[in-house]
Amino acid sequence: MRYHILATLLAICSIISPATAQVKNFVSSCGDRSFSIVWDGNTVKTGSQTEYYTSDANGRTIGWRLVDSSDGTDVSVSLKDGKYILSGTFKGEKVNRTEKSKGNPWFQKIEMNGLGILKGKKDFKYECISARDLKFIVMSATDKGQEKAGGFDCIKIKSTLASGIFSGMWSCWFYFDIKTSEFVVYKSVEGGPGTPETTIVRTDK
């Protein structure tokens, strides 16, 4: 698995008004490679790629827009009456199609409100969309208790594919600061044997 798959794995985004939105800065590292990630309210920017999220009052994603200036991508997805509606341009190709939901809630970024969604439950399934190929994925998130990570005392959430041959072979971990409930650290090995671990760490706390 590569980072750009994970960057679109899960998701949960509360609506944040521009007046109260907090800018959050992260650094993603894998071996000798690193880059910055900036969250500004419901917008996430990574290099040439920008993602825009819209959610309902319960934190479920109802709209997502992906823009990448490097490959001509500007595609929007909305969910209405159990169907995803995709339109725009993806990697230079026109996109105009619908896809039926499998009945799970849509969360396009668990990092934004993972603890809020898990409150009162041990695990849950959700749907998300891969930014690599616009394929729809069913994921499973599980509360795995407490652990220290990146200098923070955290609640850790394990995320895996809900089914398929890779469901038992790959996982990623999201860490949320116990004091603030905010996402602070991500960990996963996103390749075959010998691949360095990928980490994402918040740098402005």
Side-chain angles (χ1 to χ4, degrees):
M1 295 287 177
R2 298 181 183 276
Y3 173 75
H4 55 260
I5 302 175
L6 300 174
T8 62
L9 287 179
L10 312 157
I12 305 165
C13 175
S14 301
I15 298 175
I16 305 174
S17 68
T20 60
Q22 179 185 6
V23 176
K24 302 174 184 179
N25 294 283
F26 299 82
V27 170
S28 175
S29 302
C30 180
D32 58 1
R33 180 173 60 92
S34 65
F35 54 88
S36 63
I37 302 171
V38 179
W39 296 4
D40 188 355
N42 62 348
T43 302
V44 178
K45 184 171 180 57
T46 307
S48 62
Q49 185 179 93
T50 304
E51 297 175 82
Y52 304 88
Y53 299 86
T54 305
S55 59
D56 64 15
N58 296 316
R60 298 184 181 193
T61 308
I62 56 176
W64 174 59
R65 180 185 175 198
L66 173 66
V67 178
D68 193 330
S69 59
S70 71
D71 63 8
T73 291
D74 188 346
V75 63
S76 297
V77 185
S78 60
L79 179 62
K80 184 176 182 180
D81 299 327
K83 291 184 178 180
Y84 294 97
I85 304 168
L86 297 83
S87 62
T89 304
F90 183 69
K91 298 182 179 179
E93 300 291 332
K94 291 292 185 182
V95 176
N96 185 12
R97 76 174 198 265
T98 61
E99 186 143 350
K100 187 177 180 180
S101 167
K102 295 186 181 300
N104 303 293
W106 178 21
F107 293 119
Q108 193 62 25
K109 204 165 190 63
I110 195 173
E111 300 98 304
M112 289 183 171
N113 194 22
L115 290 187
I117 299 303
L118 274 172
K119 187 176 182 180
K121 62 188 75 171
K122 188 66 177 178
D123 54 55
F124 70 98
K125 290 183 179 180
Y126 56 90
E127 298 173 5
C128 60
I129 306 167
S130 168
R132 181 185 66 167
D133 51 19
L134 297 186
K135 288 186 177 180
F136 289 79
I137 305 167
V138 178
M139 299 293 295
S140 178
T142 306
D143 182 347
K144 288 296 186 179
Q146 299 183 15
E147 185 176 300
K148 199 170 188 68
F152 301 93
D153 292 318
C154 298
I155 298 293
K156 60 178 181 177
I157 295 176
K158 181 181 181 180
S159 179
T160 63
L161 296 168
S163 61
I165 61 173
F166 293 109
S167 60
M169 300 172 60
W170 171 84
S171 62
C172 60
W173 300 83
F174 298 89
Y175 294 80
F176 295 82
D177 187 348
I178 292 176
K179 293 181 180 178
T180 65
S181 296
E182 294 182 345
F183 167 69
V184 288
V185 176
Y186 164 91
K187 296 180 180 180
S188 183
V189 175
E190 300 170 3
T195 302
E197 182 180 65
T198 290
T199 62
I200 299 174
V201 179
R202 187 166 176 183
T203 58
D204 56 7
K205 290 197 64 167

